């Protein structure tokens, strides 16, 4: 993914979703809240001493795609930068709801946060998430949670491509 310009960070998490192993917790081998090891323990290992718990694969990994470099790349391209400002410069004001820019929520944000609404380059984002089981069997313990970040600034004809 780095070759495509999509940098990412792997952040390790507690199997029980208590903490993320980053910043102050980065060097920890067990969760400070529930005491569970961050590493997979083999079933045949009945004794789970510290030496065995530090070996093996990590149980839960969060792949974090960095968004700031991606946003910067959008504004470097002149065509994309123009499309991202479409909502301020080229939007239709005939009272029909063609795009989220015509919605009452968009107008409310502009009224509540005047400085944000005045700047045409400020990105408006939507966040959506849903879980899925990539193997198609509910018996497996492996699942993925896809998190989508949608840019609402883009014009409708660009979103349909």
């Amino acid at each position: 993914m780095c070759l495509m310009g999509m940098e990412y960070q792997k952040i390790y998490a507690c199997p029980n979703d208590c903490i993320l192993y980053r910043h102050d917790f980065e060097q920890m081998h067990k969760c400070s809240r529930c005491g569970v090891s961050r590493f997979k323990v083999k079933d045949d290992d009945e004794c789970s001493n510290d030496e065995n718990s530090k070996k093996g694969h990590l149980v839960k990994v969060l792949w974090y795609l960095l968004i700031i470099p991606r946003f910067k790349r959008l504004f470097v391209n002149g065509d994309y930068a123009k499309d991202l400002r479409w909502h301020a410069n080229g939007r239709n004001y005939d009272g029909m709801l063609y795009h989220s820019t015509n919605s009452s929520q968009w107008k409310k944000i502009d009224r509540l946060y005047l400085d944000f609404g005045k700047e045409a380059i400020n990105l408006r984002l939507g966040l959506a998430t849903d879980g899925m089981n990539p193997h198609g069997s509910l018996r497996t313990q492996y699942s993925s949670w896809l998190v989508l970040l949608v840019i609402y600034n883009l014009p409708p004809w660009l979103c349909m491509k």
Side-chain angles (χ1 to χ4, degrees), residues 91-140:
R91 148 171 84 159
N92 190 355
Y93 291 101
D94 65 357
M96 301 298 289
L97 185 63
Y98 298 110
H99 190 265
S100 59
T101 57
N102 299 59
S103 69
S104 59
Q105 291 84 3
W106 189 287
K107 295 170 188 169
K108 183 177 181 179
I109 294 293
D110 285 345
R111 281 193 312 270
L112 290 175
Y113 306 100
L114 296 173
D115 292 338
F116 183 81
K118 288 178 185 174
E119 288 291 328
I121 63 170
N122 286 338
L123 295 178
R124 295 167 190 250
L125 307 171
L127 187 66
T129 182
D130 194 10
M132 65 177 200
N133 187 329
H135 301 294
S137 171
L138 296 176
R139 294 182 190 164
T140 61

Side-chain angles (χ1 to χ4, degrees), residues 58-96:
L58 295 157
V59 176
K60 196 174 271 193
V61 181
L62 167 74
W63 288 56
Y64 173 62
L65 296 171
L66 304 171
I67 59 173
I68 300 298
R70 299 201 55 180
F71 291 159
K72 287 180 180 179
R73 278 186 25 199
L74 285 174
F75 283 104
V76 167
N77 184 324
D79 292 333
Y80 287 149
K82 182 181 174 185
D83 288 337
L84 289 168
R85 291 188 312 268
W86 163 86
H87 66 93
N89 303 329
R91 148 171 84 159
N92 190 355
Y93 291 101
D94 65 357
M96 301 298 289

Side-chain angles (χ1 to χ4, degrees), residues 143-154:
S143 66
S144 295
W145 282 85
L146 180 64
V147 179
L148 297 174
L149 188 65
V150 181
I151 302 173
Y152 287 135
N153 295 49
L154 296 173

Side-chain angles (χ1 to χ4, degrees), residues 11-17 21 38 40 58-62:
I11 302 172
Y12 304 106
C14 170
N16 296 326
D17 300 321
Y21 291 105
R38 71 192 272 189
K40 290 181 183 176
L58 295 157
V59 176
K60 196 174 271 193
V61 181
L62 167 74

